[in-house]
Amino acid sequence: MVLTKNQHPASLLLLIQTIVMKSFCLPSSLLCIALCFSFGSSAQNNLPQLGKAPISAVIKAMTLEEKAGLVVGKGFSIPGISMGETDKSPDKITGISGHSVGIARLGIPSLGFADGPAGIHKFMNAKDSADKLFTTAWPVGTLLASSWDTALVKKLGVAFGEEIKAFGIDFILGPGVNIHRNPLGGRNFEYYSEDPLVSGKTAAAIINGIQSEGVGATIKHFAANNQETNRMSVNTIVSERALREIYLRNFEIAIKSSQPWAVMSSYNLINGTYTSESHDLLTTILRNEWGYKGFVMSDWFGGKDPVAQMKAGNNLVMPGTTAQVKAIVDAVKNGQLSEAVLDENVADILNVMLQTPTSKRYQYSNHPDLKKHAEISREAAAESMVLLKNDAGALPVTGTAKTIALFGNHGYDLIAGGTGSGDVSKAYAVSMAEGLTNAGYKVDKELQQRYQSYLNEYEAKHPKKALLQELLNPTPLAPEYTVDKSSIEQKAVSSDIAILYIGRNAGEGNDRKIADDYELTAQEKEMITSITDAFHAAHKPVIAVLNIGGVIDVMPLRDKADAILLAWQPGQEGGHAITDILSGRVNPSGKLATTFPVSYNDEPSTKNFPGKEFPEKATTGMFGMKSIPAEVTYEEGIYVGYRYFNTFNVKPAYEFGYGLSYTSFGYSPVKLSAATFNNKLTASVTITNTGKVAGKEVAELYLSAPAKTMDKPSEELKAFAKTGLLQPGKSQTITFTLTPSDLASYKSDASLWLAEAGNYTVKIGASSLNIKGTASFNLRKELVVEKDHKALSPQAGINELKPGK
Ligand code: BGC
């Protein structure tokens, strides 16, 4: 097995570390649980069969060992590494992240679970595996959320679902929806936004799309899993209000409106309990309050106690070890776990299983329409990129006769997506240089050759190592190639435009660093200065392209580049999609779903990221690596992202909801359906394209609520919509509906959602700071919108940030 350049082995490393820290020494009897795992090969006539007999009859016919076998996955198997599989029969699909155990005598098949949110990932790269199957790399989550276009995301979801089904997979392990709490979060690229509404709606759209094809989505990582540092041991200490309004709210929105077939519990603890062992989270909130109907699986090797996981309602323990099967069997035998509870966990899995392609004996082709999917990937990427700056009409670059000097390694080597389980087994990734060339632009050949030979030479000098060495010591990406000043000056004469391309990558297992990652490197800063000096002296524009997975410091660029295009990590068609925007073939309409601050320290979570470690309690695992107990306290409370920046008047570099277009839009005054709120109220606005080219606008509705008994953010996003493609002079009216829950905040001491009486202001705008019109209404009497259970309470008080404090 050879890891690709962009494939980060941290997840495997952590898995191996975790596995070795646990013991797999088991009585041989348990290794031979009397199951026949090949689905359908030996069904016995007189036994109830899944799909034919009622589920209760199937469960009744199961032995205790079979039940425990079913709620524990089949084990993680990558060629060459054995990890205590519960069932050594061949996997249905090699190289994917997990399988459940089949019980042939009862017609129960083994199901396949594959990563991840941005496309199907095989731990064996498709290039190196026997079947040579490639999959589509879609744009990463952060980019999709920047579309603010749920119809587009659903369309991508349908194509994604077709592909999952065509490869014989039952569940995709995505989407990932955790909140962008801090810019350094190593997996932020897999997630959507700092805001629960954008996050929840985008997730619902992709889940509804995927599941419309008859395969399952797995929403993850439930919940409050916002960092990679000490990810398997960190205790997230957070108030009930911040949980309900921010960290659970996105899951709630997505789950209620899309019923994902599976939920993946996270690695961390919340207020002292592993999420996978939390009855409050998985039963009281998820099932009883939200009405969730699917099943819950653990994250890979997450949590400690499989019996507690069963009691909490974590139906499936993944990827599964023989030790976990034994623990569950023993607990039932010695009365620690009631068999009825085990039966409920089994029933939830079987219920969903009935819908899976494998249960339905779907004959998969292994040949999805990859060409069509590549087109959808390109469309979604182009429709979601965010134009941050465009001075003096630097973009679009009209006329392909222009010669472009492209600076930056990744302009020639696209970062299509992040690393770890979020990587994709893609066949190719179109670089910007290729995209420009395919569109007919002249990319400076000499510069291209210099970069290309530098990158080739680097690769030749740093060949991929054997699997384990690569796991221990991954080959880093090539450092930025330096173009000398005099060459830059010469290019400023011979070319018409400079493109300054900045790339960043990250992924599972590690958070990013401030120096040389969040911040630009000295070399990058130097490159910005010399390129902008030379090209501006020659009166030629410099366009910056950001091919990044998470927020970076844009300040060194902001005042120097003429235009800045935020391409995020745009999937395999990235170079084409970037060129679509650059050429004006697509008018940019993406908006930021995450704030870009002026300084990292402006972020309210920096004080508590990634939290405290307790090294004296560390345990040692494989390769001498340590597992360190840790905790992080969310002292910023609900003031995450723009909720903080707006309320505390901290000016960001680029605010939440911001994004430019090649045209301009006018907003009519806001019209409300009533001046008094009575269970429902609508707000309408008419948007007109007042510029010269066709374009789409995202309208954002924020609400300011009275803050009498509770502190409130100065405003919160409550609805958004994207117009269709408006021709110049054309208009579209958008009507938003507000319901009681949009007015309410969570009152922790009473465990209820309360809308306070008083004056509410609707603010509709083009970003969280660019409000175009406001209108007010009144709520006469305070309203208890929903009464919830007391759950997930912190063990001690949290010194939470409050306005005026
Ligand atoms: C990751 C999950 C992933 C799973 C299976 C874990 O390490 O956190 O997101 O789905 O592995 O690969």
Side-chain angles (χ1 to χ4, degrees):
M1 172 178 168
V2 178
L3 297 177
T4 62
K5 196 170 354 164
N6 278 346
Q7 196 171 17
H8 200 286
S11 57
L12 294 179
L13 183 59
L14 283 170
L15 291 177
I16 293 171
Q17 179 200 0
T18 318
I19 295 157
V20 173
M21 287 190 307
K22 296 175 184 185
S23 164
F24 293 111
C25 303
L26 290 165
S28 54
S29 61
L30 267 157
L31 287 172
C32 323
I33 293 169
L35 305 175
C36 171
F37 295 119
S38 57
F39 170 50
S41 60
S42 64
Q44 291 162 28
N45 291 341
N46 53 349
L47 286 170
Q49 298 293 300
L50 184 70
K52 294 188 183 131
I55 283 179
S56 55
V58 176
I59 297 177
K60 213 162 164 219
M62 291 170 86
T63 64
L64 172 60
E65 285 72 16
E66 282 173 334
K67 291 175 188 173
L70 188 82
V71 296
V72 174
K74 178 172 182 297
F76 191 72
S77 59
I78 49 171
I81 298 182
S82 165
M83 296 191 185
E85 292 101 309
T86 60
D87 166 17
K88 299 217 184 284
S89 66
D91 284 344
K92 182 185 166 207
I93 301 167
T94 45
I96 61 170
S97 304
H99 285 85
S100 66
V101 164
I103 306 172
R105 70 182 192 96
L106 301 172
I108 297 174
S110 162
L111 303 179
F113 303 89
D115 282 294
I120 299 166
H121 178 207
K122 293 189 166 197
F123 278 92
M124 293 206 1
N125 183 284
K127 281 181 190 145
D128 312 309
S129 70
D131 53 15
K132 304 259 188 300
L133 295 175
F134 297 106
T135 62
T136 306
W138 311 103
V140 299
T142 310
L143 182 53
L144 288 183
S146 312
S147 71
W148 298 61
D149 184 344
T150 49
L152 175 77
V153 176
K154 183 166 180 204
K155 174 176 166 182
L156 183 149
V158 172
F160 196 176
E162 272 168 27
E163 194 162 320
I164 296 162
K165 196 167 179 185
F167 284 122
I169 294 160
D170 298 289
F171 286 81
I172 193 76
L173 300 172
V177 305
N178 297 90
I179 293 290
H180 292 164
R181 172 175 179 254
N182 184 279
L184 304 184
R187 296 185 84 169
N188 281 358
F189 73 96
E190 293 186 61
Y191 306 146
Y192 294 125
S193 173
E194 67 189 22
D195 175 75
L197 184 75
V198 176
S199 166
K201 290 222 173 238
T202 312
I206 202 163
I207 294 168
N208 281 323
I210 292 171
Q211 295 192 166
S212 70
E213 290 301 304
V215 290
T218 310
I219 194 168
K220 68 187 188 184
H221 307 90
F222 192 52
N225 178 190
N226 310 98
Q227 65 185 60
E228 289 301 287
T229 308
N230 299 312
R231 67 173 180 163
M232 298 182 88
S233 58
V234 69
N235 179 21
T236 302
I237 300 174
V238 53
S239 71
E240 286 150 84
R241 180 171 179 194
L243 277 171
R244 297 281 189 165
E245 293 188 15
I246 309 286
Y247 299 100
L248 296 180
R249 183 77 182 136
N250 54 347
F251 283 98
E252 180 181 3
I253 292 168
I255 287 169
K256 284 183 173 168
S257 46
S258 68
Q259 283 291 337
W261 290 7
V263 169
M264 186 189 288
S265 51
S266 54
Y267 281 134
N268 55 292
L269 303 88
I270 297 180
N271 295 328
T273 307
Y274 276 108
T275 60
S276 61
E277 299 174 11
S278 170
H279 189 271
D280 271 5
L281 182 69
L282 304 184
T283 298
T284 307
I285 294 177
L286 178 65
R287 290 174 165 105
N288 299 349
E289 290 182 4
W290 299 352
Y292 179 57
K293 306 262 181 295
F295 71 88
V296 179
M297 70 177 86
S298 70
D299 198 347
W300 270 225
F301 302 103
K304 285 225 160 112
D305 177 357
V307 175
Q309 288 172 322
M310 287 300 112
K311 289 182 181 167
N314 190 110
N315 308 78
L316 181 60
V317 184
M318 287 301 285
T321 68
T322 42
Q324 291 162 334
V325 178
K326 175 174 162 35
I328 292 169
V329 169
D330 288 351
V332 173
K333 284 189 177 155
N334 67 27
Q336 275 172 348
L337 176 67
S338 110
E339 194 157 352
V341 169
L342 182 58
D343 287 355
E344 279 171 30
N345 281 294
V346 171
D348 286 346
I349 299 173
L350 294 183
N351 259 318
V352 177
M353 190 180 273
L354 285 174
Q355 308 175 57
T356 58
T358 301
S359 281
K360 294 183 174 166
R361 297 169 187 262
Y362 177 71
Q363 295 300 311
Y364 57 98
S365 66
N366 269 341
H367 293 292
D369 189 345
L370 292 176
K371 207 162 160 273
K372 182 180 94 186
H373 294 177
E375 278 161 21
I376 294 173
S377 182
R378 174 177 178 168
E379 179 195 351
E383 291 289 333
S384 312
M385 287 177 187
V386 187
L387 184 63
L388 295 177
K389 180 176 180 185
N390 194 17
D391 274 6
L395 287 177
V397 178
T398 45
T400 49
K402 300 249 166 84
T403 301
I404 297 174
L406 174 56
F407 297 94
N409 288 358
H410 293 287
Y412 302 90
D413 181 19
L414 179 85
I415 302 176
T419 62
S421 58
D423 196 3
V424 179
S425 306
K426 56 195 168 293
Y428 64 86
V430 179
S431 71
M432 179 156 194
E434 289 170 276
L436 289 169
T437 308
N438 292 345
Y441 288 98
K442 292 190 195 66
V443 178
D444 183 288
K445 281 271 165 310
E446 193 263 344
L447 204 52
Q448 177 160 15
Q449 269 153 20
R450 278 164 73 174
Y451 271 101
Q452 216 74 71
S453 53
Y454 166 77
L455 292 170
N456 294 344
E457 208 174 296
Y458 181 85
E459 238 178 81
K461 279 196 192 141
H462 300 83
K464 292 282 174 282
K465 293 161 262 180
L467 174 65
L468 266 180
Q469 279 82 2
E470 197 60 48
L471 290 178
L472 280 170
N473 185 15
T475 310
L477 292 173
E480 194 59 52
Y481 173 65
T482 310
V483 183
D484 57 286
K485 258 195 172 154
S486 75
S487 297
I488 293 175
E489 278 158 13
Q490 190 247 310
K491 298 298 172 198
V493 175
S494 61
S495 349
D496 302 301
I497 299 157
I499 291 177
L500 210 161
Y501 199 101
I502 307 269
R504 286 287 183 280
N505 212 356
E508 184 172 6
N510 289 297
D511 289 313
R512 296 166 56 213
K513 303 269 177 296
I514 297 177
D516 297 342
D517 189 346
Y518 174 81
E519 289 172 351
L520 301 187
T521 64
Q523 208 183 348
E524 284 168 336
K525 287 186 200 159
E526 176 60 40
M527 176 166 111
I528 293 169
T529 308
S530 8
I531 293 171
T532 50
D533 283 356
F535 276 75
H536 287 162
H539 305 291
K540 290 175 183 172
V542 176
I543 291 149
V545 174
L546 308 180
N547 178 193
I548 57 181
V551 171
I552 61 166
D553 178 11
V554 285
M555 295 313 281
L557 264 178
R558 196 179 70 162
D559 301 326
K560 288 199 162 152
D562 301 279
I564 306 176
L565 176 65
L566 175 57
W568 289 117
Q569 292 173 338
Q572 67 186 36
E573 287 286 326
H576 285 144
I578 295 170
T579 306
D580 288 340
I581 299 282
L582 201 98
S583 65
R585 182 175 171 265
V586 175
N587 188 351
S589 61
K591 299 217 176 173
L592 291 181
T594 267
T595 306
F596 275 66
V598 167
S599 148
Y600 173 71
N601 288 320
D602 288 347
E603 282 284 345
S605 57
T606 49
K607 228 169 94 187
N608 293 285
F609 185 92
K612 279 187 275 182
E613 291 184 342
F614 302 100
E616 66 284 0
K617 294 186 193 154
T619 50
T620 305
M622 196 180 196
F623 318 123
M625 284 184 67
K626 283 182 178 162
S627 167
I628 305 171
E631 67 180 35
V632 56
T633 306
Y634 289 10
E635 285 189 320
E636 71 283 0
I638 58 167
Y639 296 101
V640 179
Y642 72 90
R643 285 172 167 76
Y644 169 78
F645 285 90
N646 290 9
T647 310
F648 291 79
N649 289 315
V650 181
K651 183 105 182 70
Y654 295 110
E655 76 269 15
F656 177 81
Y658 170 86
L660 300 174
S661 163
Y662 295 153
T663 189
S664 50
F665 297 97
Y667 283 63
S668 72
V670 176
K671 255 198 235 151
L672 299 185
S673 58
T676 305
F677 188 86
N678 185 11
N679 206 36
K680 200 172 125 179
L681 188 134
T682 63
S684 328
V685 69
T686 299
I687 294 172
T688 305
N689 183 345
T690 51
K692 294 200 172 61
V693 290
K696 298 176 184 172
E697 170 69 328
V698 175
E700 304 161 28
L701 184 153
Y702 297 86
L703 189 66
S704 295
K708 289 180 195 151
T709 61
M710 274 186 271
D711 57 293
K712 298 278 169 79
S714 57
E715 58 266 309
E716 292 183 280
L717 184 76
K718 295 296 175 184
F720 60 88
K722 197 168 196 169
T723 65
L725 187 70
L726 294 178
Q727 296 300 325
K730 294 285 178 221
S731 302
Q732 184 177 334
T733 299
I734 292 174
T735 301
F736 297 106
T737 303
L738 293 173
T739 63
S741 71
D742 293 318
L743 276 54
S745 299
Y746 194 74
K747 215 168 153 34
S748 296
D749 51 7
S751 307
L752 53 81
W753 290 88
L754 183 77
E756 291 189 312
N759 205 47
Y760 288 74
T761 307
V762 172
K763 303 174 171 177
I764 298 184
S767 85
S768 57
L769 291 179
N770 185 7
I771 299 302
K772 303 283 192 180
T774 64
S776 293
F777 65 85
N778 192 269
L779 178 68
R780 288 225 176 89
K781 274 195 3 218
E782 130 180 332
L783 212 64
V784 174
V785 175
E786 186 181 303
K787 180 90 186 80
D788 288 337
H789 298 86
K790 184 105 194 126
L792 300 175
S793 310
Q795 290 156 322
I798 299 171
N799 182 23
E800 271 190 332
L801 182 65
K802 302 262 179 261
K805 213 165 115 177

